[in-house]
Amino acid sequence: MEHSCVRLDDLPDEILLIIFQKLNNCDVLYSFMGLNERLDTILYDKIFTINLSLIKYVHGSSYQFNIILDRFSLEILPKINDKIERLSIESSFIKRILLATNYPNLHALDLYEFEPETASTLFRGKIFFFYTLSMITYTRYQFGKNSTYKGIS
């Protein structure tokens, strides 16, 4: 096996799925979406798209996260929007994420570092369209760093 070189493309789909499942969904989508058609087909699977957490502390530095967020807003979310059922986001970029595309199958929304005034604006329909909001069956808000409110729409 001296000097053998195995590329990502050489691995069977099953092995790639096992590897990707060990990683954060957003990291996998950000890193591999758009590289080639085969990887895109694997990444469109519900395993990677049904539940997304776009939260800063999961991804490291703010600068790096802004680059990730730009790519998600402009390229990735519009491609997988119909597969997303749960979305976890912070208030500092809620408008970017919710206005990036329509989420027809979104049933749960987790909102972190969320101020009550922002929630009031959001749920009065200024940011989020009413018909999409009416499809959400579960929401979780975190006001500040410690308090949490869970609700069912």
Side-chain angles (χ1 to χ4, degrees), residues 66-129:
N66 281 329
I67 293 170
I68 292 169
L69 198 57
D70 284 342
R71 180 143 188 254
F72 264 92
S73 299
L74 299 172
E75 297 174 33
I76 298 171
L77 291 174
K79 290 180 183 176
I80 63 170
N81 65 327
D82 60 328
K83 298 185 183 309
I84 299 171
E85 292 184 17
R86 182 183 203 111
L87 189 57
S88 300
I89 53 180
E90 288 181 28
S91 67
S92 59
F93 44 85
I94 190 168
K95 288 181 185 179
R96 273 171 86 181
I97 298 301
L98 295 181
L99 293 176
T101 187
N102 185 22
Y103 302 92
N105 296 311
L106 186 65
H107 300 293
L109 182 62
D110 297 331
L111 306 170
Y112 293 91
E113 299 299 324
F114 213 59
E115 297 302 321
E117 309 83 52
T118 307
S120 176
T121 301
L122 174 71
F123 294 114
R124 270 191 261 140
K126 291 185 178 179
I127 298 171
F128 208 30
F129 296 107

Side-chain angles (χ1 to χ4, degrees), residues 18-141:
I18 292 169
I19 293 169
F20 290 163
Q21 286 177 330
K22 302 284 183 193
L23 304 171
N24 177 287
N25 290 0
C26 289
D27 290 341
V28 170
L29 291 169
Y30 175 78
S31 300
F32 298 105
M33 180 78 68
L35 289 182
N36 63 43
E37 196 173 309
R38 178 176 170 232
L39 288 177
D40 283 354
T41 301
I42 293 170
L43 295 178
Y44 282 124
D45 191 284
K46 273 189 157 190
I47 295 168
F48 304 108
T49 59
I50 197 167
N51 184 8
L52 293 183
S53 286
L54 293 166
I55 301 173
K56 248 185 253 180
Y57 72 84
V58 174
H59 297 282
S61 75
S62 291
Y63 174 75
Q64 179 187 10
F65 188 71
N66 281 329
I67 293 170
I68 292 169
L69 198 57
D70 284 342
R71 180 143 188 254
F72 264 92
S73 299
L74 299 172
E75 297 174 33
I76 298 171
L77 291 174
K79 290 180 183 176
I80 63 170
N81 65 327
D82 60 328
K83 298 185 183 309
I84 299 171
E85 292 184 17
R86 182 183 203 111
L87 189 57
S88 300
I89 53 180
E90 288 181 28
S91 67
S92 59
F93 44 85
I94 190 168
K95 288 181 185 179
R96 273 171 86 181
I97 298 301
L98 295 181
L99 293 176
T101 187
N102 185 22
Y103 302 92
N105 296 311
L106 186 65
H107 300 293
L109 182 62
D110 297 331
L111 306 170
Y112 293 91
E113 299 299 324
F114 213 59
E115 297 302 321
E117 309 83 52
T118 307
S120 176
T121 301
L122 174 71
F123 294 114
R124 270 191 261 140
K126 291 185 178 179
I127 298 171
F128 208 30
F129 296 107
F130 177 75
Y131 77 94
T132 302
L133 183 60
S134 67
M135 296 172 66
I136 297 174
T137 56
Y138 177 82
T139 55
R140 178 173 52 191
Y141 318 102

